[in-house]
Amino acid sequence: METNEIQTGARSFIRALSRRGVEHVFTNAGTDHAPIVEALVAMRRRGEPTPEFHVIPHENLAISMAQGYYGVSGKPAVVLLHVTVGTANAICGLMNARRSFAPVVLVAGRTPSTQEGHVGSRNVPIHWGQDSFDQGGMVREFTKWDNELRAGQSVDALVDRAIAVAMAEPRGPVYLTLPRELLAEADAIEPGPVSPVATAPQPDIGAIERLAEALAAARRPVIVTSTLGPRGGGRAALESIASDYAIPVIQAWPWCVNIASSHPMNLRMQGAQWLAAADVVATVDAAVPWVPQFVKPPADARIFGLGSDPTYSMYPFRDFPATELVSGAGFAALVRLREALAEQRFDAAALEARRKTIAELQAGAAAERARRIAAAKLAQPIDAAWVADRLNRIRPGNGVLVNELCLPFDHLNLEGDDVYFGETTAGGLGAGIGFGLGAKLADRSRAVVSAVGDGCFMFGNPTPALLVARALAIPTLTIVSNNNLWYAVRQSTLALYPDGAAAGADPMPLTSFGPSPRYADMAEAAGAWGKRIENPADVEPALREAFERTEAGQAAVLEVVTAPGTR
Ligand SMILES: Cc1ncc(C[n+]2csc(CCOP(=O)(O)OP(=O)(O)O)c2C)c(N)n1
Ligand SMILES: [Mg+2]
């Protein structure tokens, strides 16, 4: 019989993805995928729907793109990897996905287990060497769930379960392995029902009422968040609570846009002073709400920890005090809190006084920013704050901005429907360019900027990324902050040993690169537009030119020679 005619496990797998609305599969293929390649062509010949399987020539890029795609589309993202080795290359991105609650569905082949007797049996030496005792064990610490397809099981049901688990709160990555023999074998099992996305867990209303009471009686309340974002109306609820009751918001290492930059209660990242004297603190979706050795709320502050898992059980050690821990999705908690606050009585005069105090704090912070920008205008090497400032002026609205060790967050304007990707607490560098490309694939109408450090650029698989940008027609602008250094490593050494031996060493070991390549020229070699600038006066015209190129369909790389420590 023609393979066209056989319903193989591979065909059932592809059909299962299609039936669940999966549009894109970020693929880095291997010998384990032969039945999938065969099935794809057979299905297309027969006119059966299939997702688009994209060739992504590095797994780290593939998983980062998947996460970027989810960040904009809200849909589960599927990554197809080659057995153990392909999985190994994706683990850094998997750690990011886990810590930032991205429902990435990783699927890897499983090297054949039989030497003979099946279409899929071992036929090259790697099929022995790529076997492992526990393939899922490679990723188990950073997934919510992992499993392997067994003979006689429904592929459809397993894919359904993988997606359902990934999308349930708190969301996170899952790992599914598919043995080659089973992909190649006939699969007569009829596909089953498609599971809905599980509803978000709701918080205990009594606890939310106690928080509302505490906020109504507070003198210096504050809300701290990192990963809330707009999903489920969370950001909208936060913005209205903050406005209506003059409650300032601190974004601790923000991962997404939790509150508009221009919101009068957005303390940006300057909230330390407020937090240190707060009397009621609500942390919402904030794994690391502050770093205790630098700042913490007073010992007698009432602290409410809110989130799907307010204990953050995936973190081995974490010791933040709490008066109450309230389980329930952060967005659901804030929607309920808004309702509960409406039932409270606030002292109008006290609210006005607080509003005024915060406005003064904000004015001081704005003046500080303006002073820096005035100096940055002429500074050479270029101050990254100047790049942020010009980007704010030029960047089209409702865009996507990825910031991986490049731009100072406090200087960014994130408004409206802007999507922001910050750093995850996993800190797996090299995701920024991929986040941007995946975001662009999810919504080509958005202008996408990936702003990355030079170290991050190299971690981010720039060659595959530029290839993919062209091949998939997803032109993004990558800004490379070239300080020819791992500044972060230098800074951490100085923080521990300000007067130590290393402080005086030039170059400081393990921090500087030596002669850096011309990143812009590398981009040109890959068919992208590239430009390198050293003069602050060139930032704005170069950004304009770069956006013209991306709008015309060409990827752009703008290399900016920056002063260390200005991000
Ligand atoms: C995958 C990975 N490898 C190494 C590190 C350690 N690390 C943290 S910051 C940093 C330097 C990043 O350099 P760059 O992007 O140039 O930013 P800069 O610090 O110069 O501003 C390194 C190597 C990491 N976080 N992730
Ligand atoms: Mg650097």
Side-chain angles (χ1 to χ4, degrees):
M1 204 186 332
E2 288 266 327
T3 53
N4 271 6
E5 304 305 318
I6 307 170
Q7 180 68 35
T8 57
R11 265 168 75 171
S12 297
F13 165 65
I14 297 167
R15 180 179 61 190
L17 296 177
S18 268
R19 293 180 71 234
R20 285 160 187 84
V22 173
E23 297 165 324
H24 302 283
V25 179
F26 302 88
T27 308
N28 195 290
T31 53
D32 45 340
H33 299 144
I36 293 177
V37 176
E38 182 67 13
L40 266 176
V41 178
M43 290 173 80
R44 285 178 189 155
R45 273 196 198 149
R46 292 167 60 102
E48 293 171 20
T50 69
E52 286 184 62
F53 281 68
H54 304 294
V55 173
I56 312 295
H58 196 291
E59 295 83 354
N60 183 56
L61 181 68
I63 185 164
S64 302
M65 284 182 71
Q67 176 152 10
Y69 168 80
Y70 164 72
V72 168
S73 71
K75 296 178 188 167
V78 179
V79 181
L80 184 62
L81 302 165
H82 172 50
V83 297
T84 43
V85 289
T87 300
N89 269 356
I91 289 179
C92 181
L94 177 70
M95 293 173 179
N96 284 327
R98 181 66 168 140
R99 295 296 190 240
S100 55
F101 306 100
V104 177
V105 180
L106 290 188
V107 183
R110 187 86 162 89
T111 206
S113 53
T114 56
Q115 300 201 159
E116 288 171 284
H118 281 267
V119 182
S121 293
R122 295 179 176 183
N123 58 352
V124 279
I126 55 169
H127 290 157
W128 282 261
Q130 290 183 337
D131 201 359
S132 69
F133 294 102
D134 181 10
Q135 192 168 318
M138 290 176 71
V139 297
R140 193 157 298 133
E141 188 171 342
F142 297 100
T143 49
K144 283 179 77 178
W145 171 97
D146 71 276
N147 203 356
E148 178 162 318
L149 177 69
R150 315 270 164 82
Q153 271 182 346
S154 161
V155 188
D156 190 81
L158 205 57
V159 168
D160 189 77
R161 180 153 174 74
I163 295 176
V165 171
M167 291 294 279
E169 301 288 338
R171 291 182 171 174
V174 297
Y175 185 64
L176 172 63
T177 51
L178 302 172
R180 187 164 90 155
E181 287 95 332
L182 300 184
L183 287 175
E185 251 173 30
D187 171 29
I189 305 173
E190 283 300 311
V194 174
S195 291
V197 175
T199 58
Q202 297 292 317
D204 177 289
I205 292 299
I208 293 293
E209 282 167 0
R210 287 191 293 281
L211 171 57
E213 265 166 42
L215 289 172
R219 280 180 311 100
R220 284 175 69 101
V222 64
I223 299 176
V224 186
T225 184
S226 307
T227 54
L228 172 72
R231 202 157 66 80
R235 174 180 152 190
L238 179 62
E239 286 178 341
S240 69
I241 290 169
S243 305
D244 294 350
Y245 307 105
I247 301 176
V249 174
I250 297 173
Q251 296 187 83
W253 299 275
W255 159 247
C256 48
V257 184
N258 301 296
I259 181 168
S261 300
S262 60
H263 193 292
M265 290 297 137
N266 179 353
L267 286 186
R268 300 207 183 193
M269 283 170 83
Q270 278 141 335
Q273 182 190 339
W274 188 269
L275 182 71
D279 55 354
V280 176
V281 181
T283 68
V284 186
D285 292 343
V288 187
W290 48 83
V291 174
Q293 69 161 299
F294 298 127
V295 65
K296 53 184 156 191
D300 61 353
R302 292 181 68 192
I303 301 172
F304 293 74
L306 288 78
S308 286
D309 172 11
T311 68
Y312 290 88
S313 54
M314 68 161 118
Y315 286 72
F317 182 77
R318 184 181 179 275
D319 181 22
F320 291 96
T323 320
E324 292 208 39
L325 290 175
V326 189
S327 302
F331 59 81
L334 286 172
V335 168
R336 297 285 160 263
L337 180 63
R338 184 171 48 188
E339 292 164 5
L341 285 167
E343 303 296 316
Q344 293 295 322
R345 287 182 49 173
F346 281 79
D347 177 339
L351 278 196
E352 275 328 296
R354 187 158 72 223
R355 228 180 264 289
K356 204 162 153 264
T357 309
I358 292 163
E360 282 162 12
L361 252 184
Q362 298 287 40
E368 208 177 289
R369 285 198 299 276
R371 268 196 299 279
R372 176 162 170 195
I373 293 302
K377 200 172 180 169
L378 300 169
Q380 204 167 339
I382 295 168
D383 183 331
W386 179 244
V387 180
D389 186 77
R390 298 295 95 183
L391 197 59
N392 289 338
R393 281 171 68 110
I394 295 166
R395 194 170 63 83
N398 298 335
V400 175
L401 179 58
V402 182
N403 186 16
E404 195 179 37
L405 304 191
C406 183
L407 304 171
F409 179 74
D410 278 357
H411 283 265
L412 294 174
N413 285 352
L414 298 161
E415 304 291 336
D417 196 21
D418 277 338
V419 176
Y420 178 73
F421 292 86
E423 289 155 53
T424 74
T425 58
L429 299 180
I433 309 175
F435 286 163
L437 288 169
K440 185 75 178 173
L441 186 67
D443 185 353
R444 286 187 160 92
S445 73
R446 289 177 184 265
V448 177
V449 179
S450 292
V452 299
D454 48 356
C456 292
F457 183 76
M458 287 187 270
F459 281 127
N461 320 107
T463 308
L466 289 163
L467 180 153
V468 165
R470 200 168 169 192
L472 303 189
I474 41 175
T476 62
L477 163 59
T478 302
I479 299 174
V480 186
S481 171
N482 184 354
N483 58 15
N484 201 25
L485 183 74
W486 281 345
Y487 171 77
V489 182
R490 179 185 171 81
Q491 192 47 37
S492 99
T493 308
L494 292 176
L496 266 63
Y497 309 103
D499 305 314
D506 186 21
M508 185 189 278
L510 314 189
T511 63
S512 65
F513 298 146
S516 85
R518 297 177 66 91
Y519 299 110
D521 292 353
M522 290 168 56
E524 294 260 341
W529 173 91
K531 193 172 190 115
R532 176 183 156 106
I533 55 171
E534 299 185 33
N535 188 330
D538 293 336
V539 173
E540 187 169 335
L543 282 172
R544 286 193 194 283
E545 201 181 341
F547 280 117
E548 275 165 26
R549 297 313 316 167
T550 53
E551 273 155 35
Q554 190 181 18
V557 174
L558 177 61
E559 179 188 346
V560 185
V561 177
T562 53
T566 55
R567 61 165 160 85

